[in-house]
Amino acid sequence: MPPTARAFTDRLRRREAAVGYWVVLDAPVATERIARLGYDYVCVDGQHGLVEYSGILRALTAVDAGGRSVGLVRVGANDPFLIGQALDAGAAGVIVPLVNSAEDAARAVSSATYPPQGTRSYGPMRSGLRVGPVPAEANAAIACLAMIETPEGLEAVEEICAVPGLTGVYVGPSDLCLAVGGAFPGDPAVADVFEAALERIRTAAAAAGVAAGIHTPAGADAAKRLAEGFTFATVSSDLVHLERAAADHLSAARGDR
């Protein structure tokens, strides 16, 4: 059996290290193979990924079939319908983009939580099987993660981390780089300011006792961020790795140096 949502979320609440993978392709057979490798979680990107709801559902089913990871979903917006839909499809948690304030974070938590604590509508189509049909048990099992990626979100990160019920925060490094003045993601001109922003986010999460996560381009970068104090780190994506592997093999076949 795959790891349970509750076991994974409890790990995040204890701020224990976890490594994940990012899926943007609607390719469930590939997602299943990735989910067999041993990543703690596989996140399906419903915001910038190339998947619609049916693709999210197929991907989460494939993650469970892989048997070694839990499935997360980055939803398209801080919207009760999108959050509830992802959870109903069986996600162990949601990553909510563009959280700019404590009020935004509280709204995300409410959308991911059944009454009386929250406002999630009851209809656990697939989550009733994967997470369980009992609202209180689902509330305890689901992770709600707020993305810190805007100037407003960075400025309010301490208040965001203190929101009751929030499992943690997640850095979108591309948008955060732009938020601190970068001309493009990874702009070296703002490297120092960017690293200072990451330190502020890590510190705020640690002070509030919540998890801090970040997206990274490669496994070595994930290891670096975990060593710095991030709780969890996601490695690249299926589309990026497909292109890189194909390019490497082409170069080798042609004898390029």
Side-chain angles (χ1 to χ4, degrees):
M1 288 289 292
T4 66
R6 179 62 186 266
F8 174 75
T9 299
D10 282 349
R11 281 184 62 183
L12 292 185
R13 292 184 179 125
R14 293 191 298 266
R15 292 174 48 84
E16 295 178 3
V19 178
Y21 196 81
W22 202 256
V23 166
V24 302
L25 296 175
D26 186 356
V29 174
T31 299
E32 181 182 15
R33 292 177 76 92
I34 290 166
R36 295 174 67 246
L37 298 176
Y39 286 95
D40 297 300
Y41 62 93
V42 174
C43 184
V44 185
D45 189 355
Q47 183 189 22
H48 293 304
L50 307 173
V51 290
E52 296 181 351
Y53 172 69
S54 59
I56 290 172
L57 178 59
R58 286 190 292 268
L60 291 173
T61 304
V63 170
D64 291 338
R68 299 186 66 186
S69 308
V70 299
L72 304 181
V73 175
R74 176 167 70 172
V75 295
N78 189 358
D79 177 86
F81 171 72
L82 294 177
I83 292 171
Q85 190 179 55
L87 295 177
D88 287 349
V94 287
I95 298 176
V96 181
L98 301 171
V99 172
N100 294 326
S101 65
E103 290 76 16
D104 285 350
R107 186 165 66 252
V109 171
S110 180
S111 298
T113 309
Y114 288 118
Q117 294 90 346
T119 57
R120 179 182 172 187
S121 178
Y122 188 83
M125 293 297 107
R126 187 164 178 273
S127 66
L129 301 175
R130 291 293 308 124
V131 179
V134 179
E137 294 176 2
N139 288 348
I142 293 301
C144 184
L145 305 162
M147 291 196 73
I148 306 298
E149 53 185 345
T150 65
E152 297 84 359
L154 179 61
E155 185 60 29
V157 66
E158 290 82 8
E159 291 81 8
I160 290 170
C161 288
V163 168
L166 191 71
T167 313
V169 291
Y170 187 76
V171 174
S174 294
D175 280 319
L176 184 64
C177 184
L178 301 181
V180 299
F184 51 85
D187 186 353
V190 297
D192 290 345
V193 179
F194 178 77
E195 292 298 327
L198 295 187
E199 183 177 1
R200 179 176 179 179
I201 294 165
R202 291 195 308 269
T203 301
V210 298
I214 187 169
H215 198 97
T216 67
D221 299 284
K224 174 177 180 289
R225 296 306 186 188
L226 292 171
E228 290 171 349
F230 278 95
T231 315
F232 63 106
T234 311
V235 178
S236 196
S237 75
D238 50 0
L239 181 59
V240 170
H241 284 163
L242 176 65
E243 181 181 21
R244 286 180 181 171
D248 288 345
H249 285 293
L250 176 62
S251 178
R254 288 178 169 169
D256 296 339
R257 297 184 182 277

